[in-house]
Amino acid sequence: MAARRVLFLCTHNSARSQMAEGLLRHLGGDRFDAHSAGTEATQVRPLAITAMHELGVDISTQTSKTLDPYVDQQFDHVITVCDDANETCPFFPNATHRSHWSLPDPSKATGTPEEQLAVYRTVRDELRSRIESELLTR
């Protein structure tokens, strides 16, 4: 059986979508072909890398990408993880299933580095929960 292809979309492809890609790759193994992209490319945020490292998931070599290379590709699931990307990309022509997971932007967290990291952990854990309940159990 072929791996299910999943694309996570966010605005900057710097935190939420990157964490989701890494989590699905880690939790789903060879059952999934996980990707992430943004409406614009920036860089993977260090606190996202730290939050994922705590779970034993290394996303430090992932890069921020635009969705351009993926537009003509076939996906089983396209999932937006931020409201801006959901509005910008309401239709993805080659997706069998399209979902939206509205998650707060951890890059907007304020406070001490530890307080900011706590927000990344919360978003990471919500992503893990959604991946386990909506993708891994199907």
Side-chain angles (χ1 to χ4, degrees), residues 6 10 36 63 72 115 137:
V6 179
C10 200
S36 68
T63 58
D72 294 328
E115 290 168 332
T137 59

Side-chain angles (χ1 to χ4, degrees), residues 14-103:
S14 65
R16 291 166 286 190
S17 53
Q18 292 286 347
M19 290 191 291
E21 176 186 353
L23 279 166
L24 184 58
R25 197 172 277 135
H26 178 74
L27 298 169
D30 60 4
R31 295 183 301 151
F32 292 90
D33 180 16
H35 300 272
S36 68
T39 54
E40 55 187 87
T42 55
Q43 64 181 17
V44 180
R45 295 196 175 267
L47 288 174
I49 294 169
T50 300
M52 295 301 293
H53 182 73
E54 293 174 348
L55 296 182
V57 180
D58 183 7
I59 64 169
S60 65
T61 59
Q62 291 179 195
T63 58
S64 182
K65 306 158 291 296
T66 67
L67 60 91
D68 294 342
Y70 299 105
V71 171
D72 294 328
Q73 294 185 32
Q74 184 70 38
F75 287 94
D76 296 293
H77 301 273
V78 171
I79 302 167
T80 51
V81 293
C82 77
D83 295 336
D84 287 343
N86 187 47
E87 292 172 13
T88 306
C89 307
F91 177 71
F92 206 87
N94 298 316
T96 305
H97 302 284
R98 167 77 165 75
S99 302
H100 175 58
W101 299 349
S102 183
L103 297 164

